[in-house]
Amino acid sequence: MDEAVPTTEDYWADIDYDDENNTLSPETSGSMAAPCLQEDIYVFAEKYAPIVYSLVFVLAVVGNVLVLCVIRRYRSSHSSRGCAFSLTDTFLLHLAISDLLLAFTLPLFAVQWAHHWVFGVPLCKISGALFSVNRYSGILFLACISFDRYLAIVHAVTSGWKRNTCHAQVACAIIWVICLGLSGVDIFFKDVKELHLLDQTRGPYCQLWFTDSATQWHVGLQLVSVVLGFGFPLLIMLYCYIQIFRSLCNASRRQKRKSLSLIISLVSVFVFCWAPFNIFQLVDSLHWMGALTGSCTFNKVMDIGTLITESVGLSHCALNPLLYGFVGVKFRRELVKMCKGLLGRRGLLGMEEWRERRHRRFAGSSSSAESENTFYSAMM
């Protein structure tokens, strides 16, 4: 299950329910096994998802907007010196855009869980595609940053011709195209329908709807998500950071200790955020392929576990600015300069307002106000 909402089949253990015909499927109609009641799952999701998604949205927007502002300020302030946009800055820019677009889809799903889907079918498909595109691209951009650091540190002499902005832009374009292609599954299968649970009708909900004939798509999508959205980037990060650490063995003890702590934090946070969700994805795929037998308890654990672990994974888009931005010396320096500039400008504005009120109160002359404005313009 790759989305923020579970599929229809996940709410049934011993029977399959046909939403269009409102009948039991032929495979299980003879046994007439009792259905698994999933009302407690909905109650939990309606309380949990809106709060968590809203919190991740706020933190991700604030952090990634700061990253974009700092990168823009650094680029504009150094453009006159002829400094090219570095590869790391290029990947950080695309990573921040990806995380920001992913965060903008979260309020829609928060509203869905708090009420139901009220935004229509077109926005359902678009938001689902944006969700998939930016989830995949964000993780792949992290792998690109790791590989760039690997070339810069381990192969600093021989990789000079490889590390240029043109190659970085080509790599980013390839990642966006691949992720857009993967989002086609969401555009095709995502729809807005009501859920029929025994004597209750809930919804409408925007989610992936897989029929019995499309089970292969369901399993294939989840396996692609596990491989491309976790396994492949994790292997790249582990290989690159292990090689980087080996190359730093000759560095000073303090520098090596700082590098080791940074490497461990980067890999640990990535694994902590996305490993649990991908484990649930893999188990669910094995269940759909018949390798695991399900039950009511199994389905409830899978539904609640997938919801919780996916929200933990989504929190990575709010942690990326902290890990890949604020830990950098150059980034912190530019952020401090930007904050000082904003505070200084606000201080000048406040001083100007105080001076204008003072002169209006005591002097009341327009010439003094004009001289103050000229001085303010010069100061700015």
Side-chain angles (χ1 to χ4, degrees):
M1 182 166 52
D2 189 42
E3 298 300 322
V5 291
T7 55
T8 307
E9 294 85 351
D10 291 332
Y11 295 103
W12 300 89
D14 298 323
I15 67 170
D16 297 325
Y17 192 80
D18 190 342
D19 291 296
E20 296 182 358
N21 300 324
N22 294 328
T23 58
L24 297 177
S25 63
E27 292 82 358
T28 56
S29 58
S31 61
M32 294 301 295
C36 296
L37 299 179
Q38 305 292 330
E39 188 66 24
D40 52 345
I41 297 178
Y42 278 102
V43 173
F44 172 79
E46 289 169 356
K47 296 179 179 178
Y48 173 83
I51 297 176
V52 175
Y53 288 174
S54 301
L55 181 61
V56 173
F57 166 74
V58 173
L59 295 178
V61 169
V62 172
N64 288 285
V65 167
L66 279 178
V67 171
L68 293 177
C69 292
V70 171
I71 292 177
R72 180 180 180 276
R73 184 188 184 282
Y74 179 82
R75 187 176 186 179
S76 60
S77 63
H78 290 74
S79 59
S80 59
R81 307 178 188 177
C83 298
F85 212 39
S86 67
L87 267 71
T88 302
D89 293 334
T90 301
F91 290 129
L92 279 175
L93 176 64
H94 286 265
L95 175 63
I97 294 174
S98 174
D99 288 340
L100 203 57
L101 292 176
L102 175 61
F104 283 142
T105 65
L106 297 182
L108 302 180
F109 293 106
V111 171
Q112 172 175 250
W113 281 114
H115 184 50
H116 55 76
W117 188 262
V118 296
F119 306 105
V121 176
L123 191 56
C124 170
K125 294 181 178 292
I126 294 174
S127 62
L130 283 176
F131 184 94
S132 296
V133 166
N134 296 289
R135 191 178 82 82
Y136 288 124
S137 62
I139 295 175
L140 293 177
F141 286 134
L142 296 180
C144 288
I145 293 174
S146 305
F147 187 68
D148 174 57
R149 293 296 86 202
Y150 163 76
L151 292 178
I153 297 175
V154 180
H155 302 285
V157 178
T158 60
S159 65
W161 64 273
K162 303 175 185 178
R163 300 183 63 253
N164 59 67
T165 308
C166 180
H167 291 164
Q169 296 291 357
V170 171
C172 293
I174 293 175
I175 289 176
W176 284 116
V177 170
I178 293 175
C179 296
L180 283 173
L182 292 174
S183 68
V185 177
D186 294 84
I187 295 177
F188 186 80
F189 287 105
K190 213 166 188 64
D191 201 356
V192 178
K193 294 183 179 180
E194 293 183 345
L195 291 179
H196 302 282
L197 302 177
L198 294 180
D199 57 343
Q200 291 186 350
T201 300
R202 304 184 68 101
Y205 285 94
C206 170
Q207 60 188 49
L208 291 172
W209 297 84
F210 294 99
T211 60
D212 293 337
S213 59
T215 303
Q216 297 85 351
W217 281 99
H218 185 190
V219 176
L221 179 62
Q222 292 192 143
L223 294 178
V224 169
S225 174
V226 172
V227 174
L228 190 59
F230 181 73
F232 179 67
L234 179 61
L235 290 178
I236 293 178
M237 294 174 64
L238 288 176
Y239 174 80
C240 293
Y241 287 135
I242 289 174
Q243 297 299 321
I244 289 173
F245 177 69
R246 287 181 176 178
S247 66
L248 294 175
C249 288
N250 297 326
S252 63
R253 179 176 298 180
R254 181 181 179 184
Q255 181 180 1
K256 184 170 65 175
R257 184 169 60 250
K258 292 176 64 177
S259 301
L260 176 60
S261 61
L262 177 59
I263 291 172
I264 293 177
S265 64
L266 293 177
V267 178
S268 299
V269 170
F270 176 78
V271 173
F272 173 79
C273 288
W274 283 115
F277 173 72
N278 284 275
I279 291 175
F280 274 89
Q281 289 280 86
L282 183 60
V283 172
D284 188 61
S285 298
L286 294 176
H287 171 60
W288 276 93
M289 290 186 296
L292 296 176
T293 57
S295 62
C296 288
T297 303
F298 175 84
N299 278 14
K300 290 181 180 180
V301 171
M302 289 298 301
D303 291 336
I304 296 178
T306 301
L307 178 65
I308 294 177
T309 55
E310 186 178 50
S311 64
V312 174
L314 293 174
S315 66
H316 200 242
C317 69
L319 296 176
N320 281 336
L322 297 176
L323 296 175
Y324 294 87
F326 299 117
V327 296
V329 177
K330 182 178 68 175
F331 188 91
R332 290 201 306 267
R333 187 184 303 119
E334 292 296 324
L335 180 62
V336 170
K337 290 180 180 179
M338 185 180 69
C339 293
K340 286 183 177 179
L342 294 175
L343 293 176
R345 182 179 302 176
R346 185 171 299 176
L348 287 175
L349 289 174
M351 184 180 296
E352 175 62 19
E353 293 177 358
W354 177 80
R355 286 178 177 177
E356 287 185 358
R357 290 196 300 267
R358 182 173 179 271
H359 281 275
R360 287 172 185 173
R361 180 180 302 174
F362 296 101
S365 62
S366 60
S367 60
S368 62
E370 183 179 355
S371 64
E372 289 296 324
N373 287 330
T374 305
F375 174 74
Y376 170 71
S377 301
M379 290 293 293
M380 293 300 295

